[in-house]
Amino acid sequence: MPDHVLTLQGLTKVFSTDRGPITAVDKVDFDVRGDEFFTMLGPSGCGKTTTLRMIAGLETSTAGKILFNDEDFTRFSAFRRNIGMVFQSYALFPHMTLFENAAYGLRIRGLDNDLIKKKVAEILALLGLDELAERYPADLSGGQQQRVSIARALVYEPGMLLLDEPLANLDAKLRVDMREEIRRIQKELGIMSIYVTHDQEEAMSVSDRLAVFNLGQLMQAGHPEEVYADPTSLFVADFIGKANFFPAHVTNRDGTGAKVSLNSGQELALSRLVEVRESEKADIVDGYDATLMVRPEHVEIGQPGKGEIDCHVRRIQFLGSFIRYIGKCSDATQEVIVDSPRAVPGIEEGSEASVTIHPADARLFHKGDGS
Amino acid sequence: MSDAVTATVDARGPKKGIDWFPYVVAILSGIILVVFLAYPIGKTTLYSFVLLDDDLTFGNLTLANFRNFIEVPLYTDALQNSITIAAWTTVATVVLALPAAYAVARIDIPYRTFLLTFSIIPLIAPPFIGAYSWIILFGNQGMIRRYFDILFGIDIPTIYGPFGIVLALSLHYFPFVFLFTQGALAASDPFIEESAHIMGAPRSRIMCSITFPLVIPAIGAGAVLVFVRTLGNFGVPAVLGKEYMVLTTLMVYQVNGYFNLNAASAIALANVALTLIAVFFLARIQRRRRFITVTSTTRAAKRHTGRGAKIAGNAYVWSLFILAVMPQIIVLFYSFAERWAGSLWPQRMGWGNYHHVLTELTEPIFNSIFLAGGATLLAVFFGTLAAYISQRKQFFGKWLLDMTIMLPFIMPGIITGVAFLTTFNTGILILTGTASIIMLAYFVRRLAYIFRAVSAAISQVDNKIDEASTICGAAWGYTMRRVTIPLVAPGMLAGGILVFSTLIIELSITIMVYSADWQTMSVLMFEQLLDDQIEYATATGSIAIILTISLVFAASRLVGKSMADMFR
Ligand SMILES: Nc1ncnc2c1ncn2[C@@H]1O[C@H](COP(=O)(O)OP(=O)(O)OP(=O)(O)O)[C@@H](O)[C@H]1O
Ligand SMILES: [Mg+2]
């Protein structure tokens, strides 16, 4: 398997509409290599689909470049890019049997009939569709239709596979099964895949790497655990996983760390500032008002007075492997969420409590940055 | 709750006992259908198996009227000619309409909305008037023939005969195929074509393997509609056919010439048989309708952006539509020519023809409005009731009701005319020569349209709304009057206006059942044409066309649909 590389350089798309230009994609850079499962994640309207369609060649870019193995893709029309694509609505050919749907890409490539039969049979077997070959799309369930559209996109061994919210029309259980299956097949065939979703849980669980988009911009790209642990913006911190946010006043900036004071008057010594862009790190000086972010598993809940910030427990959820405490405190910008591996004695719904922040796992951001 | 309150509610509460209203309505509708639909169809069928002047007895039954189709050249030719004309017209409409539909759906056409509205003009203008404008151009004394004669001394062939008939009918009916196909193309899922594109298919390949196969049901529906309408069309072959006879003109010939209702009935039956074959094909095509995918996205299918494609598409579409409304424009122009004999340009232009038509021929115009109006009211009333019952009630023999009402769809107007003439000329109920025979024939022929429109409207309204009213204690009639009807009223009204606008220029039925006392606008025009009073005929025609277009426009405003959508 050759080591393919897809590179996006300053990719931009501006739609001109009646109400003026809309910048759907704004100078996006990233690259995807080999058999990577790469996910574009972000809220609705952030430009994921537009980026994907530009890679596919269905949309022309306003500026920037798309390179595939150092070849400029932007010069090729969609039908010469040798890409496989799976649409949210499946877009199966309703007038063709499942077999003919899957064979379409091979027929275009002018393969002889025997080879087409063989290859289609292989791919249908891989997706567990061999029994259904003579059916029409209308006679298939949603999940089966989705498999057909994947088979159809893979059968001609494209250079990469693009998937635009392929699971959005499936029910929750099937969605989980299908995403695992997509990943299994993707790895089995070793095909580079770019996947679009707005479901962060889905993105975290299947991707090798993911890219978080907001308002047409790429906010952060990296391995899921990296993006979760070290978000570089408030937006990403908020969008990926759960997070607590506290207003924080910088009192003592020194070297790589800083001392901050919270609204409650508590002081925290942060050993390490977040690795935000260097230029921005420099802005965080004494007297600066910032936002402190800490994940629920890095906060502890205890009896009132024991911790740094007092709160009122509103709700306790037993989530299997851990217990989630949701509280209200005057200090935080949102509800305070604490995930604890075991129940804390004496803390009930409605009772008063206090929370302790682990300074080592807390991150400091520019106030209101990104979100 | 206090006793007093309970008592008041009880006193005004629901009426007890069985709600008879639905049964009364069902029985009334049933009687109407039996007397004015089943009875005429049955009697006409029987008549076709009896010879002229024979009584309708078992011993007199014969196949002689049908044997004519094998033995008598006049009949054999008419049958053959009908099939030829219908087949060629169908082919021509598809060939004309497909590129136009594709262009309108996939190329930037300036004023596209206007164009779509424009496209229904040929459909709503009376076709025999359109046909006549071809005579104005290419008839014995035709303008263009005259120009060629005067300017170049060339004698070009006249328009009479099969070619002219196919030409006039194609330009009249092609909008059906165009509108159906364009609608389907516009509604198809753009992602399907995109996915083919990504898989490596070039444009031409996508067109052949995806785009067109997916709209075949729509093309088929349009084509079958054209075929059926052509078979039932009387006006155009009557105006352009001369000695070239088709089934419909032969039917009129048998009635007007010999009053041979038995022969006419047999011809009618042959015509219906052909129609049935076409409808059978339609049903087969429609079974594949499930293939049609209607998109949920707002993303439009990819347009051709090349200059060449744009220029070619626009040129084709605009020339086709200008050609199609040309007959109407010529009619309009001619209607202002007060004197025009043997010259390149009319000698005198003015409102004279309109003046003549409006002052001296008011009666036929009034008759048309009266007859069409009465028939429309009847159709709206019974069509709505029947649609309601069929949509909302379960009862024995419901399929029979649905089927009977839809029968006139496969029975061209002229056959309804023959059936009414045959049936109500003798026997228990004699109506020949009265206004009621015309009005009732109109009513029966158009009932299906209202039935269909209102059924569609009712099926859109959630049944629970009715049930809520019933649970509140309202009787069926009350629910219908206060809840259902107001909800479907716009659909009913629009359907009514559409029916009315087609009836004021109805010729096929009218030509069979009208009498001297009840001459209509269409018959008047037809006779003016045959009498070569072209200037009056064109003025009457222009009034009719403008009236019809305004009515359709009003109806489209009422339901908030585009005029083109009203015909899809
Ligand atoms: N053809 C178009 N014309 C004009 N604006 C468009 C067009 N396509 C997309 N946009 C705009 O570009 C922005 C990005 O759209 P895009 O479809 O890429 O979002 P998305 O991230 O895929 O969202 P979703 O999760 O809802 O699918 C949106 O603001 C959208 O309204
Ligand atoms: Mg999208």
Side-chain angles (χ1 to χ4, degrees):
Chain A
M1 171 62 45
D3 216 18
H4 293 308
V5 187
L6 173 76
T7 314
L8 271 57
Q9 291 174 350
L11 197 65
T12 301
K13 176 72 190 185
V14 182
F15 287 108
S16 43
T17 67
D18 305 337
R19 281 158 288 106
I22 296 176
T23 306
V25 178
D26 194 3
K27 298 193 207 71
V28 166
D29 301 292
F30 63 73
D31 50 44
V32 189
R33 332 187 136 258
D35 68 344
E36 221 173 11
F37 196 110
F38 187 85
T39 300
M40 292 195 273
L41 175 67
S44 187
C46 69
K48 311 175 295 278
T49 297
T50 309
T51 308
L52 200 72
R53 289 172 60 83
M54 284 192 284
I55 298 173
L58 295 172
E59 213 79 74
T60 50
S61 53
T62 312
K65 264 193 181 153
I66 301 167
L67 303 173
F68 191 61
N69 299 337
D70 295 327
E71 203 169 23
D72 188 356
F73 238 30
T74 19
R75 290 182 302 121
F76 293 163
S77 139
F79 76 98
R80 293 179 47 210
R81 292 188 188 194
N82 196 27
I83 283 177
M85 185 157 174
V86 176
F87 293 83
Q88 179 178 333
S89 57
Y90 317 139
L92 296 178
F93 306 134
H95 58 307
M96 295 182 191
T97 61
L98 195 158
F99 179 90
E100 280 307 320
N101 262 282
Y104 192 82
L106 297 174
R107 296 214 189 280
I108 302 276
R109 283 165 179 71
L111 268 61
D112 72 64
N113 256 328
D114 291 341
L115 196 56
I116 291 180
K117 273 200 189 115
K118 184 170 154 283
K119 282 187 174 283
V120 172
E122 268 169 29
I123 197 81
L124 292 186
L126 185 66
L127 280 141
L129 291 167
D130 14 15
E131 306 280 295
L132 309 173
E134 290 315 311
R135 291 222 201 155
Y136 282 91
D139 305 330
L140 298 175
S141 72
Q144 289 167 336
Q145 292 185 33
Q146 185 56 274
R147 282 163 202 268
V148 180
S149 80
I150 294 170
R152 190 180 66 171
L154 289 173
V155 72
Y156 49 92
E157 295 163 20
M160 70 179 95
L161 178 64
L162 308 180
L163 306 103
D164 190 358
E165 310 216 21
L167 308 180
N169 292 347
L170 302 179
D171 64 57
K173 169 83 171 69
L174 200 53
R175 216 152 47 214
V176 174
D177 296 346
M178 272 308 286
R179 75 189 188 202
E180 288 311 316
E181 181 150 355
I182 291 175
R183 194 182 151 90
R184 168 181 72 81
I185 291 163
Q186 185 260 336
K187 289 295 172 214
E188 200 166 315
L189 300 177
I191 182 171
M192 172 190 294
S193 302
I194 302 179
Y195 186 92
V196 165
T197 178
H198 56 243
D199 179 342
Q200 55 104 8
E201 200 251 5
E202 190 173 293
M204 302 277 283
S205 69
V206 293
S207 318
D208 293 320
R209 256 178 345 120
L210 53 82
V212 185
F213 281 70
N214 188 32
L215 302 172
Q217 288 178 329
L218 175 64
M219 301 301 292
Q220 186 173 0
H223 297 285
E225 58 280 11
E226 190 179 296
V227 176
Y228 179 78
D230 278 314
T232 56
S233 60
L234 272 184
F235 173 80
V236 174
D238 198 20
F239 194 78
I240 304 275
K242 297 265 178 220
N244 297 304
F245 299 102
F246 302 97
H249 188 76
V250 179
T251 55
N252 194 353
R253 168 81 203 268
D254 70 78
T256 56
K259 259 210 183 83
V260 297
S261 74
L262 302 178
N263 283 357
S264 60
Q266 280 287 343
E267 289 243 318
L268 277 180
L270 305 174
S271 54
R272 182 166 78 97
L273 288 182
V274 208
E275 289 136 26
V276 285
R277 276 155 279 189
E278 284 301 316
S279 62
E280 291 179 8
K281 203 191 284 181
D283 292 344
I284 300 181
V285 294
D286 289 0
Y288 187 85
D289 282 320
T291 300
L292 187 77
M293 184 285 293
V294 59
R295 295 287 182 198
E297 62 273 26
H298 299 138
V299 189
E300 268 174 43
I301 194 158
Q303 298 302 328
K306 252 186 82 185
E308 289 131 6
I309 304 157
D310 290 335
C311 76
H312 174 80
V313 179
R314 287 235 326 252
R315 180 89 178 87
I316 302 176
Q317 296 168 339
F318 295 89
L319 296 176
S321 54
F322 62 90
I323 297 168
R324 172 164 292 167
Y325 295 88
I326 300 170
K328 189 83 202 133
C329 84
S330 54
D331 238 49
T333 54
Q334 302 169 5
E335 282 178 322
V336 171
I337 302 168
V338 179
D339 288 348
S340 168
R342 64 195 72 82
V344 182
I347 309 289
E348 324 244 306
E349 282 190 4
S351 68
E352 298 302 318
S354 73
V355 297
T356 311
I357 296 169
H358 298 175
D361 298 308
R363 300 283 178 267
L364 201 62
F365 290 98
H366 288 262
K367 198 169 157 182
D369 165 28
S371 51
Chain B
M1 208 196 284
S2 79
D3 285 352
V5 174
T6 325
T8 1
V9 172
D10 257 355
R12 299 200 271 119
K15 290 190 211 96
K16 301 283 178 320
I18 302 172
D19 193 357
W20 284 108
F21 200 60
Y23 295 96
V24 173
V25 170
I27 289 167
L28 199 61
S29 311
I31 292 174
I32 299 245
L33 288 178
V34 167
V35 175
F36 295 113
L37 203 59
Y39 175 48
I41 291 173
K43 193 163 167 186
T44 310
T45 311
L46 286 178
Y47 256 59
S48 64
F49 291 99
V50 182
L51 282 174
L52 177 63
D53 298 332
D54 275 358
D55 284 336
L56 195 55
T57 58
F58 190 76
N60 284 340
L61 292 184
T62 166
L63 283 175
N65 289 321
F66 293 100
R67 217 174 296 128
N68 289 342
F69 286 109
I70 304 166
E71 289 167 359
V72 181
L74 188 66
Y75 280 68
T76 335
D77 289 351
L79 181 63
Q80 251 172 30
N81 293 347
S82 262
I83 296 172
T84 312
I85 295 282
W88 277 110
T89 305
T90 308
V91 170
T93 51
V94 171
V95 169
L96 287 176
L98 280 198
Y102 187 80
V104 172
R106 296 297 161 82
I107 291 175
D108 274 325
I109 305 265
Y111 306 108
R112 150 206 251 93
T113 337
F114 169 75
L115 188 84
L116 283 171
T117 308
F118 202 59
S119 71
I120 65 163
I121 291 180
L123 284 183
I124 57 185
F128 64 98
I129 295 276
Y132 203 80
S133 69
W134 293 107
I135 295 185
I136 296 176
L137 294 179
F138 293 102
N140 284 331
Q141 297 303 314
M143 264 158 65
I144 296 195
R145 288 191 75 232
R146 223 181 307 152
Y147 288 170
F148 272 82
D149 192 29
I150 295 171
L151 298 175
F152 314 112
I154 301 172
D155 193 18
I156 50 177
T158 60
I159 196 76
Y160 302 103
F163 175 77
I165 299 175
V166 170
L167 176 73
L169 286 173
S170 306
L171 286 176
H172 176 60
Y173 286 130
F174 86 88
F176 278 129
V177 183
F178 166 76
L179 286 171
F180 285 17
T181 312
Q182 189 268 340
L185 280 172
S188 65
D189 183 351
F191 293 126
I192 291 182
E193 283 180 32
E194 277 183 358
S195 62
H197 189 53
I198 288 181
M199 280 188 259
R203 199 101 191 203
S204 52
R205 178 115 191 205
I206 295 180
M207 202 146 97
C208 302
S209 64
I210 312 285
T211 315
F212 275 116
L214 282 180
V215 294
I216 281 176
I219 300 171
V224 169
L225 191 59
V226 170
F227 189 84
V228 169
R229 292 284 183 106
T230 305
L231 275 180
N233 188 292
F234 161 73
V236 173
V239 169
L240 290 175
K242 293 221 161 156
E243 65 277 14
Y244 185 86
M245 277 213 187
V246 294
L247 291 178
T248 50
T249 41
L250 181 64
M251 228 183 294
V252 175
Y253 178 72
Q254 288 296 343
V255 172
N256 288 355
Y258 308 97
F259 209 69
N260 188 345
L261 291 175
N262 308 73
S265 297
I267 303 167
L269 232 57
N271 196 325
V272 167
L274 289 179
T275 308
L276 274 178
I277 294 171
V279 169
F280 171 75
F281 273 108
L282 178 64
R284 288 195 52 151
I285 296 167
Q286 299 279 21
R287 266 219 318 257
R288 294 172 46 167
R289 273 256 165 181
R290 64 199 173 115
F291 289 154
I292 287 289
T293 57
V294 175
T295 178
S296 50
T297 72
T298 49
R299 209 185 280 282
K302 205 164 162 15
R303 298 264 173 92
H304 289 268
T305 45
R307 264 182 81 80
K310 271 190 190 170
I311 293 173
N314 274 288
Y316 179 75
V317 168
W318 286 105
S319 352
L320 177 62
F321 282 99
I322 288 171
L323 189 65
V325 290
M326 195 58 98
Q328 280 71 45
I329 294 171
I330 289 167
V331 166
L332 199 64
F333 178 76
Y334 212 110
S335 69
F336 289 101
E338 289 174 4
R339 244 178 72 77
W340 194 355
S343 60
L344 290 178
W345 195 254
Q347 280 98 351
R348 200 170 67 232
M349 306 254 316
W351 290 92
N353 301 332
Y354 286 92
H355 194 253
H356 174 87
V357 168
L358 288 173
T359 50
E360 296 190 16
L361 306 168
T362 41
E363 207 177 296
I365 294 176
F366 166 79
N367 286 347
S368 277
I369 293 173
F370 171 74
L371 294 168
T376 305
L377 287 183
L378 281 175
V380 167
F381 185 73
F382 284 103
T384 306
L385 284 179
Y388 183 88
I389 296 177
S390 135
Q391 285 286 317
R392 288 293 153 86
K393 301 280 159 185
Q394 291 302 327
F395 56 90
F396 177 73
K398 185 169 138 174
W399 62 272
L400 198 65
L401 174 77
D402 293 357
M403 216 185 67
T404 321
I405 290 194
M406 295 314 281
L407 264 179
F409 260 131
I410 55 162
M411 237 173 54
I414 193 152
I415 290 167
T416 314
V418 170
F420 263 63
L421 191 60
T422 311
T423 310
F424 300 112
N425 187 43
T426 56
I428 337 161
L429 197 56
I430 296 179
L431 298 173
T432 328
T434 63
S436 46
I437 191 169
I438 311 177
M439 200 185 277
L440 287 167
Y442 283 179
F443 156 65
V444 164
R445 171 90 177 106
R446 290 291 187 265
L447 183 61
Y449 292 77
I450 303 279
F451 178 78
R452 219 168 61 143
V454 178
S455 294
I458 290 177
S459 67
Q460 303 273 305
V461 175
D462 192 345
N463 197 9
K464 302 218 170 41
I465 298 178
D466 289 20
E467 283 167 6
S469 166
T470 312
I471 288 165
C472 290
W476 186 77
Y478 187 85
T479 305
M480 179 102 184
R481 193 152 42 85
R482 295 301 296 272
V483 181
T484 318
I485 302 252
L487 285 172
V488 298
M492 262 165 66
L493 205 55
I497 295 178
L498 222 53
V499 161
F500 180 76
S501 72
T502 57
L503 285 179
I504 51 171
I505 49 168
E506 212 294 327
L507 179 66
S508 309
I509 304 175
T510 325
I511 200 81
M512 282 291 168
V513 292
Y514 86 98
S515 47
D517 286 345
W518 287 97
Q519 209 190 25
T520 66
M521 206 163 27
S522 52
V523 174
L524 171 72
M525 262 186 282
F526 190 65
E527 288 184 348
Q528 284 166 338
L529 288 183
L530 295 188
D531 288 352
D532 273 333
Q533 297 182 331
I534 309 168
E535 55 288 353
Y536 299 148
T538 52
T540 318
S542 301
I543 296 172
I545 292 170
I546 287 163
L547 200 59
T548 321
I549 292 174
S550 325
L551 284 169
V552 174
F553 179 73
S556 82
R557 275 296 119 102
L558 208 65
V559 285
K561 274 197 201 169
S562 75
M563 282 167 78
D565 277 340
M566 315 255 329
F567 286 82
R568 279 205 264 257

